[in-house]
Amino acid sequence: MSDEEQSDASDSDGVLDLPCGERKDVHELDMGQREFECACGATHAVVMDVHPLARFVPEFLVEILTETIETDDDFDEFTTAHAMAIVMEEFPDQVESVDVAEDGTVGYALAWAADFDSRRLHEVVVELIVELMEHAVSHADDDEVARQFEAEMLEFDVSAFVEQYRRERDLESEHDTPI
C-alpha cells in the first residue's frame, strides 16, 4: 500500500468513516463479517487485513499472485490489503479505510468499507485481479501465451465465477464459512 493510501486511513479514533457519510465504531465489526446494514439504508461491504485473499479467489491463484507479485511495502507478499488498495484506486469515493493497528482489542490493523455490498465488492476484486493478470501477461515474452490468456478472459464471466465461488465457500450468511 502506498503512503498516500495509508494516510487515507483515518487516524484511528475507533471509528470508520463510511462512504455514505455515516460512521461505524470499529468495535462493532466482527472479523468474520463481510457486510452490514447501515443507518443510511445501504448495505456496506467490510474487509479487514486479516481476511485471506482466498476469500475472493481460489488458493491456487492466491499462490500464483503471492509468488509473482513483488511488493515494496511492509507486507512480505501480495495480500488482501493490496487487493483493497487496488479497489480504492479504482473507486476512491466509494471505499473508506481505517487504521486501527494501535487498538489491540479489535484483532485487525486495517479495515475497509465499500459503498456497495459484499457480492459487488467480490466482483470488483475479481475484475481487478483479472486486469492485473492481463497486464502481467501482456509483458510476457511469449505472444502466444498472451493471446491465449486474452482469449480465455473474453470467455470468463466474472459474475458467474463469483456466484459459483460464493456458493462453494458458503458466503450467503453474514459470516464466511470456508468449505
Side-chain angles (χ1 to χ4, degrees):
M1 235 173 22
S2 72
D3 291 339
E4 181 180 317
E5 288 157 344
Q6 286 180 348
S7 69
D8 283 346
S10 305
D11 291 332
S12 180
D13 57 358
V15 176
L16 174 58
D17 293 319
L18 303 174
C20 66
E22 296 287 334
R23 302 181 84 203
K24 182 80 169 173
D25 184 324
V26 296
H27 298 94
E28 294 175 8
L29 298 175
D30 180 275
M31 287 192 295
Q33 194 171 11
R34 289 183 321 282
E35 62 185 24
F36 59 88
E37 299 296 320
C38 180
C40 75
T43 300
H44 296 292
V46 63
V47 176
M48 290 132 193
D49 61 331
V50 295
H51 292 158
L53 194 52
R55 170 180 171 171
F56 299 107
V57 294
E59 288 289 344
F60 80 88
L61 186 53
V62 171
E63 289 175 23
I64 292 169
L65 293 169
T66 58
E67 289 174 11
T68 57
I69 297 175
E70 293 181 20
T71 60
D72 61 354
D73 54 24
D74 293 340
F75 298 94
D76 293 333
E77 59 189 28
F78 189 81
T79 66
T80 299
H82 295 99
M84 290 307 299
I86 295 168
V87 173
M88 286 183 76
E89 272 184 38
E90 290 294 315
F91 299 94
D93 297 331
Q94 294 177 291
V95 180
E96 294 291 337
S97 65
V98 64
D99 182 342
V100 291
E102 301 299 318
D103 185 343
T105 66
V106 293
Y108 52 90
L110 298 169
W112 297 266
D115 207 20
F116 28 82
D117 66 15
S118 64
R119 175 161 171 73
R120 176 65 186 134
L121 177 62
H122 195 158
E123 290 176 350
V124 167
V125 169
V126 170
E127 289 167 357
L128 294 172
I129 287 175
V130 167
E131 285 181 23
L132 182 68
M133 292 167 49
E134 284 177 326
H135 179 75
V137 169
S138 73
H139 290 288
D141 293 334
D142 190 334
D143 290 339
E144 180 56 33
V145 168
R147 278 192 293 278
Q148 182 180 358
F149 183 83
E150 286 183 29
E152 289 178 15
M153 288 302 100
L154 289 174
E155 307 248 336
F156 183 67
D157 183 337
V158 171
S159 185
F161 167 81
V162 168
E163 181 66 33
Q164 179 180 350
Y165 194 70
R166 291 173 72 85
R167 189 172 44 250
E168 288 175 8
R169 288 203 29 109
D170 187 25
L171 298 180
E172 294 307 317
S173 67
E174 177 184 341
H175 300 283
D176 183 3
T177 306
I179 54 175

